[in-house]
Amino acid sequence: MLPAEWIPHRRPDDREHVGWIRPDGDLWVAVSLLGRELTGPVDWLEAEEALDEVSLAWLAEVWVLEQEDAPPVRVRLVEVTPDGVVVQTDDFGAIDVPVERYELPWPPPPTLRPRRPDDPDGRVLSLRP
C-alpha cells in the first residue's frame, strides 16, 4: 500500500507521473513507480532531478524474474501500480508466441531485476539450459 506521506512527482513538461518523493527527516528520497528508492536522503530539487532523469524509460527495458523453484526468465513489465506489478515472459514482439504472466506484489521483490550484461542475449527467451 502506498504510504500517505509520499508525494507524487510529475515531469514538468507533460505532467506524466514518474514516481514519488518521500520525506526522510528534513530531507527527501526519490522513489520510482516500482517503489524502489532512486536516491538516499537529498534535498527536494535533487529528488525531482533524479525522478526526471530516470523518467519512464525503464518500463520498456528487459527484466529478469528469478524464481525459487525454476530457472530465471526474461520478462517485460506489463502493469505497474501500487496495487501490484504484472510481468510476462518476453515475446520479442511476436504475436504467436505463448507468454506466461506473473503477478507480483508492489513493490516487487528483488527477484525482479533489470537484465544484466551476463544474462542471455536478446534471442534467448529464458535462462533455462
Side-chain angles (χ1 to χ4, degrees):
M1 181 171 205
L2 187 66
E5 67 272 8
W6 287 19
I7 301 163
H9 176 72
R10 298 181 180 283
R11 286 188 303 225
D13 55 344
D14 63 3
R15 306 299 298 150
E16 181 73 34
H17 182 221
V18 294
W20 295 273
I21 299 176
R22 71 166 182 80
D24 187 324
D26 291 337
L27 296 173
W28 307 92
V29 175
V31 180
S32 75
L33 291 177
L34 272 177
R36 295 183 175 166
E37 293 184 359
L38 300 177
T39 67
V42 295
D43 68 42
W44 181 268
L45 290 178
E46 286 178 89
E48 285 186 318
E49 288 170 1
L51 286 166
D52 291 341
E53 182 179 321
V54 170
S55 194
L56 299 175
W58 53 271
L59 285 168
E61 298 296 323
V62 174
W63 292 73
V64 172
L65 180 61
E66 296 174 342
Q67 305 174 85
E68 204 171 292
D69 56 346
V73 292
R74 288 172 50 102
V75 296
R76 297 281 182 167
L77 298 169
V78 174
E79 183 178 342
V80 177
T81 72
D83 294 326
V85 175
V86 178
V87 298
Q88 75 179 26
T89 51
D90 193 356
D91 62 11
F92 302 98
I95 61 171
D96 59 343
V97 173
V99 295
E100 187 172 348
R101 287 195 172 198
Y102 302 88
E103 293 186 19
L104 306 171
W106 184 92
T111 54
L112 177 65
R113 62 169 176 80
R115 184 177 174 272
R116 294 188 295 239
D118 60 335
D119 288 333
D121 69 23
R123 301 211 182 275
V124 178
L125 182 61
S126 77
L127 300 177
R128 294 181 174 108

